[in-house]
Amino acid sequence: MKDISPTVTTGPLPASRRVWHKGMLHPEIRIPMREIDVHPSAGEPPVTVYDSSGPYTDPRADIAIESGLPRLREGWLAARGDTHAYDGRHVKPEDNGFAEGKRLVPEFPVRHQPRRARDGKAVTQMAYARAGIVTPEMEFVAIRENLGRKAAKQALMRDGESFGAEIPDFITPEFVRDEVAKGRAIIPANINHPEAEPMAIGRSFLVKINANIGNSAVTSSMAEEAEKMVWATRWGADTVMDLSTGRNIHNIRDWIIRNSPVPIGTVPLYQALEKVGGIAEDLSWEVFRDTLIEQAEQGVDYFTIHAGVRLHMIPMTVGRVTGIVSRGGSIMAKWCLHHHRESFLYEHFDEICDIARAYDVSFSLGDGLRPGSIADANDEAQFAELETLGELTQIAWAKDCQVMIEGPGHVPMHKIKANMDKQLATCGEAPFYTLGPLTTDIAPGYDHITSGIGAAMIGWFGTAMLCYVTPKEHLGLPDRDDVKTGVITYKIAAHAADLAKGHPAARIRDDALSRARFEFRWEDQFNLSLDPETARSMHDETLPKEAHKVAHFCSMCGPKFCSMRISHDIRAEAQKEGMAKMAEKFREGGALYLPLESEEEA
Amino acid sequence: MKDISPTVTTGPLPASRRVWHKGMLHPEIRIPMREIDVHPSAGEPPVTVYDSSGPYTDPRADIAIESGLPRLREGWLAARGDTHAYDGRHVKPEDNGFAEGKRLVPEFPVRHQPRRARDGKAVTQMAYARAGIVTPEMEFVAIRENLGRKAAKQALMRDGESFGAEIPDFITPEFVRDEVAKGRAIIPANINHPEAEPMAIGRSFLVKINANIGNSAVTSSMAEEAEKMVWATRWGADTVMDLSTGRNIHNIRDWIIRNSPVPIGTVPLYQALEKVGGIAEDLSWEVFRDTLIEQAEQGVDYFTIHAGVRLHMIPMTVGRVTGIVSRGGSIMAKWCLHHHRESFLYEHFDEICDIARAYDVSFSLGDGLRPGSIADANDEAQFAELETLGELTQIAWAKDCQVMIEGPGHVPMHKIKANMDKQLATCGEAPFYTLGPLTTDIAPGYDHITSGIGAAMIGWFGTAMLCYVTPKEHLGLPDRDDVKTGVITYKIAAHAADLAKGHPAARIRDDALSRARFEFRWEDQFNLSLDPETARSMHDETLPKEAHKVAHFCSMCGPKFCSMRISHDIRAEAQKEGMAKMAEKFREGGALYLPLESEEEA
């Protein structure tokens, strides 16, 4: 195996430690967080931040890609007693695009029997939530979202505009249960992916981000994809979508899921299409159904299903500037058109739900008709599909399936809020999961930025998860650097949204970093930032010496002009002089200040 | 001279041509624009875009840095007959920080006599506008803002939310005059900088961006700064601020201004402080006044004046997380505190206006108390200063001086709009000019992005010019690459704002690029983008062959999955099948479609 094993990035981030909080309702659970130490001179406790990186950043963890991660949730699932292991579907040659010999990516070395629900039961977090059960997953999420803060006796100082999202001072397991029961949040957690650390997607919680990875017919390998997954979560990806479209899809996915600490999403249609040789019109419900089971058994946590693309909507796209830009949407449109039939995804959605509820695969109802340009934003086709997604949400909820809704795309700023408002109204407050949106079309190469603007705004308005866009969008497949740039950009957008929504834990990190900045604690500034490596290397480009890490100035102004330093002088003088009293005199009128003798001496 | 002459980047952008439109009121004026050609197969006219790059992108122009740019406005100024040339102030050793010998940057080789107003007249664009005079500068701006479009007989289709900004379908010279007369727009155009191409800053016009350059005591040289100026305007900077703080400030500025096609702004306080050896308390009105005249004679187009920082406000900053982060603000605070006196800038503001009106130097009233962290946003100190800036605006307007107002800083998204609303109300709709704002503090190394989000939003809300922030903000001095990244990011923010405001010319470029994308005209996609070089190189990383430039797919999906290609198939089938008719049948209900014999044959 050695020669094909992917190597992945491990080790802690600077000054950081992975720490664990214990459950109360479920004392057996341990919830990971990251603590960032600050310099002793600050006299401040470490800063606790959300940690999506899994065991890879824990030097005590024994990482062996060939074995996969520890199966964290296995005991929790067994304790529920409502699932059973079974033989599962046999892997077929078409699952890997008929790759053979050297071209076949090896199977993942450890085989686990898949589990599914007994007797047609729903084993979804939503089913439990509705039954009043607070699962370990729910408590895990509650503690994780609080970032280690304790329930405050008094109401916290709050500052923000949440546009109707319910953001409590302290998140209880019961609050999580209630949000999941109402369908306002999901915990994507396939029973066959027990390695993942539970997380929630919902607008009452911290805004999450997704990173897309995946090989294509043209480029990239399994080793690269496994590393991209680890790399993306290291920098903060909360979920990862595997959008592979080439050969070896099945085996690559196994390697990814077995080693992923975050939920994995897919678009099963891509693999189904590979199985029929890439001919959209040859797709059938049978092939698609088989693919759903294949992927559910592997442990995919959420499926993008483009069931909202219906035959009558296709003509609405004909006059568009950029037609249908969603791959799934265009495949289904082609199928519908060729057969002159309603989409098999729409017609069989009920059966799709039956599969999903047996494994707790969440739905990400795909926006197959999302706008691909500013010109097409908020058009008839887009909103017609959204209405259908609302219908499908009700069907899924009736089966206790967890649902989120995918959103655009390319949308100018003044049309963003309408998307959020319409989604909330149409889809019963199911979580919204948007790609960007991109706020202009004119900057290929910088679409992480064109879309980061839209993402921050729609995140503030209520989008629960933001799908990243990398600089290579529209131009090529992202490499490792692009993945990092995309993730950091979207962490910025998500965090800016958390701040604006008034999430009680959001500002702690900003304030800690700003204090470090004001006090010239350079190392703390780097360590508290989203990307310590880049911050440090940019600083060192101009002022490389170690001595400059403790310098009370920086290269922008040099020592003489430093405003921060002057501010410190002012603060010191203020303490000496009794500024408040002095200010009082000046508050009225602008007359020249003539100090009194007595004050001069004070 | 040869060995010290800076070399700057010249040559057209890909597929681009500098073209000229002629004035009507002033037939002698020629207004530059850039036309980007598209592939003949598109059957589309070239796309006209705003061009801030000056003659450097025109292969026919004779560029000689030692001579400076042609003095475009010299004739216009002479024709007005209200200014006269005079000997001007002698350059003093302290103007260049006492640099001598080899350390002294050579003087600019060509010396022009400075001009100033005759007989205490106001020679500002505002004075002319109020007198009902449409200057060549105003007509230049009107034609430039229209991007070559003609007055439409019928009202244009408009789409946007301008928050009260008045954005006409077509901008007439009279409209420009009226906006300048009202103080809602400025045309920064010092009579001693006749090389610059007039431009307007105001919320009725396209959103502009500023790039900061400048050496510091720690790093960077004259050659670098001249190239940074040319480089910044090449990518779209509408104005450039020279924030130099080291030695040689005077001589470097001469090289920059004589070669700058865009207005140059400065913070005269920085140079004044150098003249008193960097000791804030040694500053005096006399040194400052002398510096204003020095810089006005050189041709600085706008001065940042921190006259809003008043003694009684300083205590308001003591409890802040990051104190005073504006250099100018902290210098003045220190001065006030040391002397226990009101700021000499505030007390002498009337005299400052007298200097500005004699040269038409516009004011950028500095936000010396802007927040330097999320924690300090929208606080008492910040808004107290803004009130004073409102007062000062009235004083400047009474003297016919042009004014814009500087704004923050670090502001979370939910507090951005309040800044804009308060600025409009307090400062009589004088143009707002903001730095970012940065929407979170936690991403040093990515502050072009944290601030690009805020910039796009505040630009939409009505900010007239956005001051760029580079990735190096808080960490070091920007190099050439950082300048480009900052400029492109801010062009994105400004353009996204123009789209959202509903500027009639804004969407043309988006639509042209999106059509190119849909039709796989890869070269057109690159050429129409803000940064063709980056777009092309990212594409070529994955698909380097020339053949792939005409490929009807890309590396993201490969040929089989290409949604764009499928969309074309759908469009073709739609034309064949009569989709609208077919769709009609499907609009009601989801029943299985059974085609009629006659339609099958249609």
Side-chain angles (χ1 to χ4, degrees), chain A residues 39-98:
Chain A
H39 192 270
S41 66
E44 291 179 17
V47 176
T48 303
V49 300
Y50 197 96
D51 184 13
S52 62
S53 65
Y56 300 102
T57 50
D58 187 349
R60 294 158 300 182
D62 191 18
I63 302 294
I65 298 296
E66 304 81 9
S67 322
L69 292 180
R71 291 168 73 81
L72 174 68
R73 293 199 301 134
E74 210 156 48
W76 315 355
L77 300 165
R80 291 201 273 264
D82 53 0
T83 60
H84 65 99
Y86 67 106
D87 274 349
R89 178 182 169 285
H90 288 286
V91 177
K92 303 173 189 170
E94 62 262 39
D95 298 351
N96 285 303
F98 301 99

Side-chain angles (χ1 to χ4, degrees), chain B residues 266-426:
Chain B
T266 62
V267 184
L269 195 62
Y270 295 173
Q271 190 181 9
L273 187 63
E274 288 287 344
K275 290 181 184 177
V276 295
I279 313 293
E281 41 281 34
D282 290 354
L283 282 165
S284 65
W285 163 239
E286 289 66 33
V287 171
F288 189 75
R289 184 183 176 284
D290 179 59
T291 307
L292 292 184
I293 290 170
E294 172 189 352
Q295 298 197 9
E297 289 182 352
Q298 282 185 295
V300 170
D301 299 286
Y302 61 91
F303 287 155
T304 292
I305 304 283
H306 294 94
V309 179
R310 296 189 52 196
L311 181 55
H312 75 266
M313 298 170 189
I314 299 167
M316 300 176 191
T317 68
V318 171
R320 280 179 157 188
V321 167
T322 44
I324 301 176
V325 296
S326 150
R327 281 190 254 173
S330 61
I331 292 163
M332 287 316 299
K334 182 133 199 205
W335 189 93
C336 291
L337 203 62
H338 180 89
H339 296 283
H340 279 194
R341 282 191 55 164
E342 190 58 89
S343 144
F344 61 83
L345 298 177
Y346 181 78
E347 295 200 326
H348 292 274
F349 191 68
D350 207 70
E351 290 157 84
I352 296 172
C353 293
D354 288 334
I355 297 169
R357 68 190 242 127
Y359 301 91
D360 200 5
V361 182
S362 297
F363 289 125
S364 181
L365 295 180
D367 54 340
L369 303 181
R370 69 171 176 268
S373 56
I374 293 297
D376 296 341
N378 293 22
D379 73 353
E380 186 192 14
Q382 185 196 335
F383 285 147
E385 184 186 27
L386 187 58
E387 296 280 344
T388 303
L389 300 186
E391 264 178 56
L392 298 171
T393 301
Q394 296 302 328
I395 296 170
W397 282 352
K399 299 262 187 181
D400 288 333
C401 291
Q402 304 192 90
V403 179
M404 61 182 168
I405 309 291
E406 291 185 11
H410 292 238
V411 185
M413 283 191 285
H414 65 293
K415 292 186 174 174
I416 291 177
K417 188 139 194 308
N419 275 277
M420 189 69 228
D421 294 343
K422 206 169 170 69
Q423 189 273 340
L424 287 173
T426 308

Side-chain angles (χ1 to χ4, degrees), chain A residues 310 320 324-325 334 340 440-442 446 472 476 510 514 530-531 541 555 563 567 569 571 586 590 593, chain B residues 310 312 320 324-325 334 340 440-442 446 472 476 510 514 531 541 555 563 567 569 571 590 593:
Chain A
R310 296 186 54 194
R320 279 180 159 187
I324 301 176
V325 295
K334 182 133 200 206
H340 280 193
T440 168
D441 304 339
I442 67 169
Y446 297 81
K472 289 265 174 66
D510 294 76
S514 289
L530 286 177
D531 180 359
E541 264 179 52
S555 57
S563 57
S567 280
D569 295 350
R571 191 174 283 189
F586 275 85
Y593 180 58
Chain B
R310 296 189 52 196
H312 75 266
R320 280 179 157 188
I324 301 176
V325 296
K334 182 133 199 205
H340 279 194
T440 167
D441 304 338
I442 67 170
Y446 297 81
K472 289 266 175 65
D510 294 77
S514 290
D531 179 2
E541 264 178 54
S555 57
S563 57
S567 280
D569 293 351
R571 191 174 282 189
Y593 180 58

Side-chain angles (χ1 to χ4, degrees), chain B residues 66-325:
Chain B
E66 303 80 11
S67 320
L69 292 179
R71 292 168 73 83
L72 174 66
R73 293 198 301 132
E74 210 157 48
W76 315 355
L77 299 165
R80 289 201 274 264
D82 51 3
T83 59
H84 65 100
Y86 66 107
D87 275 349
R89 179 184 169 283
H90 287 286
V91 177
K92 304 173 190 169
E94 63 262 39
D95 298 352
N96 285 304
F98 301 98
E100 286 180 313
K102 274 195 170 178
R103 306 188 67 179
L104 179 67
V105 167
E107 281 180 37
F108 187 74
V110 187
R111 185 160 155 73
H112 302 281
Q113 265 200 317
R115 301 187 76 84
R116 72 176 165 215
R118 284 184 201 279
D119 315 320
K121 279 209 174 114
V123 295
T124 67
Q125 294 294 319
M126 186 178 222
Y128 304 133
R130 284 173 166 180
I133 300 164
V134 175
T135 61
E137 288 85 347
M138 295 171 198
E139 188 182 22
F140 192 103
V141 160
I143 294 171
R144 201 172 192 190
E145 291 280 333
N146 282 321
L147 299 181
R149 76 180 182 279
K150 304 273 187 289
K153 291 231 172 62
Q154 289 177 304
L156 296 172
M157 282 268 295
R158 294 288 290 273
D159 175 22
E161 163 58 75
S162 73
F163 296 106
E166 208 178 300
I167 302 175
D169 286 348
F170 182 75
I171 292 164
T172 61
E174 170 56 22
F175 177 79
V176 175
R177 187 205 59 73
D178 191 52
E179 290 288 298
V180 172
K182 284 175 177 155
R184 297 206 303 200
I186 66 170
I187 299 175
N190 185 326
I191 56 172
N192 291 313
H193 186 198
E195 298 91 347
E197 295 164 351
M199 52 81 71
I201 301 168
R203 79 190 214 281
S204 308
F205 301 116
L206 291 162
V207 177
K208 304 303 187 297
I209 69 165
N210 171 69
N212 292 333
I213 61 169
N215 69 334
S216 83
V218 177
T219 181
S220 101
S221 74
M222 172 269 259
E224 263 177 75
E225 299 312 314
E227 165 60 1
K228 271 188 208 164
M229 177 275 291
V230 173
W231 186 242
T233 59
R234 180 176 182 84
W235 298 111
D238 294 290
T239 76
V240 166
M241 287 195 80
D242 174 13
L243 302 185
S244 294
T245 57
R247 291 169 197 268
N248 289 307
I249 291 186
H250 182 97
N251 286 1
I252 291 179
R253 190 166 48 229
D254 242 1
W255 284 88
I256 292 172
I257 294 174
R258 297 285 73 81
N259 286 289
S260 176
V262 301
I264 296 293
T266 62
V267 184
L269 195 62
Y270 295 173
Q271 190 181 9
L273 187 63
E274 288 287 344
K275 290 181 184 177
V276 295
I279 313 293
E281 41 281 34
D282 290 354
L283 282 165
S284 65
W285 163 239
E286 289 66 33
V287 171
F288 189 75
R289 184 183 176 284
D290 179 59
T291 307
L292 292 184
I293 290 170
E294 172 189 352
Q295 298 197 9
E297 289 182 352
Q298 282 185 295
V300 170
D301 299 286
Y302 61 91
F303 287 155
T304 292
I305 304 283
H306 294 94
V309 179
R310 296 189 52 196
L311 181 55
H312 75 266
M313 298 170 189
I314 299 167
M316 300 176 191
T317 68
V318 171
R320 280 179 157 188
V321 167
T322 44
I324 301 176
V325 296

